[in-house]
């Protein structure tokens, strides 16, 4: 299933994209796509629906974050060896774990707003894991059983604040609009192997990132097991898993986002994002 939340910010309705790509309204069945719907029982209930009998949604509404109820937005750094190399860092021996703010989360076509005075805002296409079953000290073998589905994430990063204002990466990762997610959540049953997904990112139509989840240093199961030892993962929580090479800070000379740019990105089978970049505003 492809699950969505569509409509104006703060007024999103639950929906489903059917096999023909038609957006269907789920508001007559469930109130939201939240922790209850992301549970195995909730997903099983939605899977029984006849999508073609649900009301079709007219037009092309905005797609919001495709699920609600997150308590954590966990991120993994330097999880592709070639990306570590382009940034001048060694390949980690253990996952590099940091946090993005929940307030950074937004829809797949919403504007990315540059922080005040920013000249080093960068892009990162990433695979996001959405938790469906509470995970606490889970084994690697059982880790994927706790997944509701997968999403596209852009881990937008302000490199000056990330690298030049002390050792805490979170400073450059949690600005407003720095976490586009979606456009939809693809349930686990439709992604039999999350380690075989191609991924890409362009800026203004020019290729920047090309990669595959095959080259992760730590795979999805390992990351879930590791993070679940550090904190309890609840239904609706998200882990974004690192980025392949091609980020702006690794270019020669480095290139960063500016107002008027458009960032397009996608992951095989998980949909595409298209985010305009705008200057800071209160």
């Amino acid at each position: 299933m492809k699950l969505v939340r569509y409509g104006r910010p703060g007024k999103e309705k639950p929906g489903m994209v059917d096999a023909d790509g038609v957006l269907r309204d789920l508001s007559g069945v469930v109130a939201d796509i939240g922790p209850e719907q992301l549970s195995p029982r909730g997903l099983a209930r939605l899977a029984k629906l006849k999508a073609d009998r649900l009301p079709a949604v007219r037009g092309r509404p905005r797609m919001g974050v495709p699920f609600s109820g997150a308590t954590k937005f966990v991120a993994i750094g330097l999880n592709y060896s070639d990306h570590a190399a382009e940034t001048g860092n060694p390949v980690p021996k253990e996952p590099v774990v940091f946090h993005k703010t929940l307030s950074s989360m937004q829809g797949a076509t919403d504007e990315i707003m540059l922080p005040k005075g920013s000249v080093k805002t960068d892009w990162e296409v990433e695979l996001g894991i959405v938790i469906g079953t509470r995970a606490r000290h889970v084994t690697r073998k059982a880790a994927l059983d706790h997944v509701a589905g997968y999403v596209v994430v852009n881990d937008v990063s302000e490199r000056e604040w990330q690298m030049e204002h002390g050792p805490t990466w979170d400073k450059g990762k949690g600005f407003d609009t720095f976490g586009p997610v979606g456009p939809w959540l693809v349930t686990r049953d439709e992604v039999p192997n999350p380690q075989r997904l191609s991924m890409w990112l362009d800026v203004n139509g020019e290729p920047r990132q090309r990669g595959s989840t095959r080259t992760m240093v730590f795979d999805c199961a390992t990351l879930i097991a590791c993070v679940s030892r550090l904190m309890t993962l609840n239904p609706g929580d998200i882990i974004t898993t690192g980025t392949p090479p091609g980020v702006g800070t690794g270019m020669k000379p480095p290139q960063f986002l500016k107002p008027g740019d458009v960032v397009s990105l996608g992951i095989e089978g998980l949909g595409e994002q298209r985010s305009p970049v705008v200057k800071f505003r209160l």
Side-chain angles (χ1 to χ4, degrees):
M1 290 182 292
K2 293 181 175 69
L3 301 176
V4 304
R5 296 170 68 248
Y6 68 94
R8 293 179 298 161
K11 302 290 186 181
E12 292 91 348
K13 295 181 178 181
M16 173 189 296
V17 178
D18 69 17
D20 296 320
V22 177
L23 175 59
R24 303 283 179 169
D25 181 23
L26 280 175
S27 59
V29 181
V30 293
D32 201 356
I33 305 296
E36 180 180 348
Q37 291 74 37
L38 296 174
S39 70
R41 184 175 181 177
L43 291 177
R45 180 189 178 201
L46 293 176
K48 292 178 181 178
L49 297 173
K50 302 292 186 181
D52 58 358
R53 297 182 183 177
L54 297 169
V57 178
R58 296 181 179 180
R60 301 183 64 182
R62 167 189 174 269
M63 295 293 183
V65 178
F67 57 94
S68 64
T71 66
K72 302 174 188 71
F73 191 171
V74 183
I76 307 298
L78 305 175
N79 198 32
Y80 289 71
S81 57
D82 36 12
H83 170 59
E86 76 172 342
T87 59
N89 289 287
V91 176
K93 295 181 179 179
E94 295 186 14
V96 176
V97 179
F98 61 95
H99 290 265
K100 292 179 75 73
T101 60
L102 296 178
S103 59
S104 73
M105 296 173 71
Q106 64 172 14
T109 58
D110 292 344
E111 295 174 339
I112 295 171
M113 183 177 67
L114 300 178
K116 187 175 183 179
S118 170
V119 294
K120 295 184 179 181
T121 295
D122 207 345
W123 54 83
E124 294 189 13
V125 58
E126 304 197 3
L127 173 67
I129 304 167
V130 181
I131 299 299
T133 304
R134 182 176 181 269
R136 185 167 183 260
H137 286 268
V138 302
T139 65
R140 181 184 179 280
K141 183 177 180 179
L144 296 185
D145 294 339
H146 296 264
V147 175
Y150 300 91
V151 291
V152 181
V153 175
N154 186 357
D155 176 18
V156 186
S157 307
E158 213 296 333
R159 302 301 188 189
E160 180 179 357
W161 280 98
Q162 179 186 355
M163 301 297 186
E164 301 172 32
H165 289 264
T168 305
W169 283 18
D170 299 44
K171 290 179 180 178
K173 296 285 191 171
F175 287 102
D176 292 346
T177 77
F178 269 33
V181 177
W184 45 66
L185 178 148
V186 179
T187 51
R188 188 183 74 204
D189 59 298
E190 294 195 10
V191 188
N193 189 344
Q195 304 308 144
R196 292 180 178 273
L197 304 176
S198 60
M199 53 206 309
W200 60 274
L201 182 146
D202 296 345
V203 178
N204 301 327
E206 297 181 1
R208 290 292 181 262
Q209 291 186 275
R210 296 292 185 272
S212 170
T213 57
R214 290 173 181 262
T215 62
M216 283 186 186
V217 178
F218 304 103
D219 64 15
C220 292
T222 299
L223 294 175
I224 295 168
C226 171
V227 174
S228 76
R229 292 195 297 269
L230 305 175
M231 64 199 79
T232 299
L233 294 169
N234 298 307
D237 287 351
I238 179 172
I239 303 173
T240 189
T241 57
T243 197
V247 298
T249 195
M251 298 179 72
K252 299 185 186 302
Q255 296 185 25
F256 299 106
L257 295 174
K258 61 186 183 302
D261 286 345
V262 176
V263 185
S264 303
L265 60 147
I267 298 178
E268 179 183 354
L270 303 185
E272 300 181 2
Q273 299 185 4
R274 188 179 188 277
S275 300
V277 179
V278 300
K279 64 182 181 180
F280 174 80
R281 60 175 180 266
L282 290 174

